[in-house]
């Protein structure tokens, strides 16, 4: 469908475009048949009963669930007819050994509520319905709804109450858990998928979640790694729940990434994680571990009075904007001797302890500094994930944490994609939908940054260009 254009402006007319889309929908066979049926007057009596309140449209015993029930049962009878090879009551029925054998009642959960269906049977027991498969207690669509609600942060109990109060479907907590657990295999496949051999930049950050450990609930860190490939596209490489402290945990993470195909990493930007630099260097010996400057500033402000923070931040700025490490060292010495440095020795100590992991950043030009300056690309994601996890007191297991975070990332990206799709065709100035949050997002000014990396690391980058 072509977008309508406002005469004399050359710009799209979105009201006309929306009207055209409505016209297209109205012309579809299903919508057209419903409109023709209503126009024929055949539904006037039904409409009068609905207006009088004698018939409910939705809910238990409503017209729409009843219509779906009638449609499904008619379809099941048609399937049985096709399976037997003759119509009900046909003369040739006596020549066929197999025959109809009544019905079996079955309750199925749907997006409109629970339906009591009469499932037809045959005497030989060879009939296998496709419309409502054997063993199925839910029609297609309900599982997707439950997973979407779960990804939005609702607990199993919240979902059960929501389904009961809105569409009248009663599902046990165990059933809902089983539905969300059904994607566990997909998550394992995603977490173990092959990766690129080379990532110029990898970001690492974490959010804290509460997880049950035996009889206790403890805080654990859910670490998320985002890799930037040679095209500047970001990818979530994996999610790991920290089960042990320091080097042992990070050695396992690095070994897993290496086993999935990562042969080299240029720069790993992180928040001074204990044991990570040693694990990185043991796995990719030429990799550079860069402390996130924003995290470093934030850590140095931890014990600074609120009224002094602007002035202290201003005094720290010459350190991380210095042209090289010597200038940064001079700026740090000046801060150390200043009134702010003497008043807040913790800020000085924070920079001193992180200095060796901070100075690699100063060897790069501005285009590259902007790429590795901060892990904000993950922090934006983590902000969204915290909104999802805050509804939960704690998680029953590490696997439950990974499941929810993975679903939440997919859900967030899907929402944004739908918003962008609605604005497709509009001028860029009129678009308000957010871009990709992290997965598939392209790093700003990546070509310039990659050019600087190629100059700094020609032997390691050129094989992948």
């Amino acid at each position: 469908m072509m977008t309508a254009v406002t005469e004399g402006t050359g710009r799209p007319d979105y009201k006309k475009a929306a009207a055209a889309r409505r016209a297209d929908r109205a012309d579809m066979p299903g919508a057209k048949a419903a409109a023709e049926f209503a126009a024929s007057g055949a539904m006037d009596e039904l409409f009068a009963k609905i207006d009088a309140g004698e018939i409910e449209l939705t809910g238990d015993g409503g017209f729409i669930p009843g219509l779906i029930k009638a449609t499904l049962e008619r379809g099941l009878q048609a399937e049985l007819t096709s399976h037997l090879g003759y119509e009900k009551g046909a003369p040739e029925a006596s020549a066929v050994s197999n025959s109809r054998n009544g019905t079996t009642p079955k309750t199925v959960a749907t997006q409109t509520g629970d339906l009591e269906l009469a499932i037809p049977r045959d005497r030989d027991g060879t009939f296998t319905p496709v419309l409502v498969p054997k063993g199925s207690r839910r029609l297609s669509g309900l599982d997707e709804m439950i997973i979407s609600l779960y990804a939005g942060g609702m607990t199993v109990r919240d979902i059960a109450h929501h389904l009961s109060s809105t569409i009248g479907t009663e599902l046990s907590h165990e059933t809902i858990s089983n539905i969300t657990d059904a994607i566990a295999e997909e998550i394992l496949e995603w977490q173990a998928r092959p990766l690129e051999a080379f990532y110029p930049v990898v970001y690492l950050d974490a959010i804290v979640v509460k997880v049950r450990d035996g009889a206790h609930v403890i805080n654990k860190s859910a670490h998320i790694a985002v890799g930037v490939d040679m095209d500047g596209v970001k990818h979530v490489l994996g999610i790991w729940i920290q089960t042990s402290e320091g080097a042992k945990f990070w050695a396992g993470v690095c070994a897993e990434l290496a086993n999935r195909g990562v042969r080299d990493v240029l720069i790993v930007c992180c928040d001074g994680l204990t044991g990570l630099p040693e694990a990185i260097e043991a796995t990719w010996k030429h990799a550079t571990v860069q402390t996130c400057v924003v995290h470093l500033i934030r850590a140095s402000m931890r014990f600074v009075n609120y009224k002094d923070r602007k002035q202290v931040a201003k005094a720290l700025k010459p350190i991380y904007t210095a042209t090289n490490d010597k200038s940064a060292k001079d700026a740090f010495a000046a801060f150390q001797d200043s009134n702010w440095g003497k008043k807040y020795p913790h800020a000085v100590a924070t920079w001193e302890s992180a200095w060796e992991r901070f100075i690699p950043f100063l060897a790069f030009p501005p285009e590259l500094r902007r790429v590795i300056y901060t892990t904000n690309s993950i922090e934006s994601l983590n902000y969204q994930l915290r909104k999802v996890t805050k509804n939960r007191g704690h998680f029953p297991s590490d696997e439950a944490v990974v499941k929810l975070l993975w679903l939440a990332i997919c859900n967030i990206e899907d929402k944004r994609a739908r918003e962008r799709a609605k604005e497709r065709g509009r001028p860029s100035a009129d678009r308000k939908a957010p871009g990709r949050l992290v997965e598939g997002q392209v790093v700003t000014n990546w070509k310039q940054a990659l050019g600087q990396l190629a100059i700094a690391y020609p032997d390691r980058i050129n094989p992948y260009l």
Side-chain angles (χ1 to χ4, degrees):
M1 183 188 74
M2 294 182 65
T3 303
V5 176
T6 304
E7 187 177 352
T9 66
R11 297 182 63 185
D13 187 326
Y14 298 109
K15 289 185 178 179
K16 288 184 179 179
R21 285 195 295 271
R22 287 194 294 271
D24 286 345
R25 290 193 200 103
D27 200 42
M28 290 179 179
K32 202 170 182 179
E36 289 172 355
F37 190 53
S40 70
M43 297 179 69
D44 289 350
E45 184 179 349
L46 173 64
F47 289 152
K49 290 182 179 180
I50 292 172
D51 292 341
E54 297 175 22
I55 293 177
E56 294 291 334
L57 271 177
T58 58
D60 192 19
F63 173 72
I64 291 176
L67 184 61
I68 294 173
K69 169 182 164 66
T71 303
L72 288 173
E73 289 180 344
R74 181 179 180 279
L76 289 166
Q77 289 291 348
E79 283 188 29
L80 181 59
T81 295
S82 176
H83 176 72
L84 296 175
Y86 65 88
E87 295 285 347
K88 187 175 183 180
E92 62 270 23
S94 58
V96 181
S97 60
N98 198 7
S99 62
R100 287 171 170 79
N101 189 30
T103 61
T104 301
K106 181 176 184 176
T107 302
V108 294
T110 74
Q111 290 172 290
T112 60
D114 289 342
L115 297 181
E116 299 287 342
L117 298 179
I119 308 296
R121 300 177 302 189
D122 65 330
R123 288 198 178 276
D124 291 349
T126 56
F127 174 54
T128 304
V130 176
L131 201 57
V132 183
K134 285 184 177 180
S136 172
R137 292 293 174 182
R138 301 177 303 278
L139 293 190
S140 176
L142 187 61
D143 286 13
E144 288 81 355
M145 178 191 291
I146 290 170
I147 289 172
S148 177
L149 292 172
Y150 187 86
M154 292 180 70
T155 65
V156 168
R157 292 179 182 276
D158 291 337
I159 294 171
H161 175 71
H162 176 77
L163 295 177
S164 175
S165 60
T166 55
I167 63 176
T169 294
E170 299 284 348
L171 292 179
S172 68
H173 298 160
E174 183 182 7
T175 298
I176 295 172
S177 292
N178 289 339
I179 292 170
T180 59
D181 286 343
I183 62 163
E185 187 175 334
E186 188 177 348
I187 295 173
L188 288 173
E189 184 179 337
W190 171 79
Q191 187 85 335
R193 74 195 188 282
L195 299 175
E196 299 284 339
F198 178 67
Y199 289 94
V201 181
V202 171
Y203 304 98
L204 274 169
D205 202 6
I207 61 173
V208 176
V209 292
K210 294 184 181 297
V211 183
R212 178 166 292 283
D213 183 14
H216 304 282
V217 173
I218 62 174
N219 287 340
K220 289 190 176 184
S221 295
H223 293 277
I224 300 174
V226 172
V228 181
D229 66 19
M230 287 293 287
D231 295 321
V233 179
K234 296 177 182 176
H235 304 277
V236 179
L237 305 183
I239 303 169
W240 295 271
I241 310 302
Q242 188 156 1
T243 53
S244 59
E245 292 295 329
K248 184 179 179 181
F249 169 75
W250 287 114
V253 171
C254 292
E256 181 181 322
L257 291 173
N259 290 336
R260 288 166 61 191
V262 181
R263 296 288 169 261
D264 194 10
V265 175
L266 291 184
I267 301 166
V268 179
C269 185
C270 61
D271 177 22
L273 300 167
T274 303
L276 175 62
E278 294 78 12
I280 291 286
E281 289 160 1
T283 309
W284 306 289
K285 61 181 180 180
H286 298 298
T288 298
V289 179
Q290 171 65 52
T291 294
C292 169
V293 177
V294 172
H295 276 93
L296 186 54
I297 296 168
R298 193 178 298 157
S300 61
M301 293 285 187
R302 187 169 298 154
F303 300 110
V304 175
N305 288 335
Y306 184 79
K307 63 183 180 64
D308 294 336
R309 288 191 175 184
K310 283 187 178 180
Q311 291 88 336
V312 174
K314 186 177 179 181
L316 289 171
K317 190 173 182 180
I319 302 173
Y320 58 86
T321 56
T323 55
N324 52 52
D325 57 347
K326 184 181 181 306
S327 300
K329 193 169 185 178
D330 293 340
F332 177 61
F335 175 79
Q336 194 172 8
D337 293 336
S338 69
N339 292 334
W340 296 122
K342 293 174 181 176
K343 184 175 181 179
Y344 298 111
H346 175 267
V348 174
T350 300
W351 282 84
E352 282 180 336
S353 63
W355 192 259
E356 290 304 314
R357 298 298 177 186
F358 158 70
I359 54 174
F361 162 85
L362 301 171
F364 301 114
E367 294 85 1
L368 189 51
R369 285 192 186 190
R370 280 191 286 269
V371 174
I372 62 172
Y373 171 74
T374 177
T375 57
N376 271 353
S377 59
I378 300 188
E379 287 199 33
S380 300
L381 172 64
N382 286 349
Y383 172 75
Q384 299 292 335
L385 295 180
R386 286 188 189 99
K387 293 198 297 187
V388 174
T389 58
K390 72 177 182 180
N391 295 333
R392 299 168 179 273
H394 65 273
F395 291 87
S397 65
D398 293 352
E399 291 75 17
V401 179
V402 175
K403 177 174 70 174
L404 178 61
L405 294 181
W406 182 81
L407 281 172
I409 292 170
C410 296
N411 195 43
I412 292 166
E413 296 293 9
D414 286 347
K415 281 182 182 177
R416 292 185 169 216
R418 286 194 296 273
E419 291 178 37
R420 291 195 300 275
K422 290 178 184 177
E423 297 184 351
R424 191 169 293 136
R426 296 189 185 183
S428 57
D430 295 342
R431 296 180 189 175
K432 306 296 181 185
R436 294 175 183 270
L437 180 60
V438 62
E439 183 66 35
Q441 183 190 55
V442 179
V443 175
T444 305
N445 298 323
W446 174 249
K447 289 296 183 184
Q448 293 90 326
L450 184 62
Q452 297 296 335
L453 284 171
I455 293 171
Y457 306 101
D459 295 339
R460 296 168 65 192
I461 283 194
N462 288 339
Y464 300 100
L465 288 175

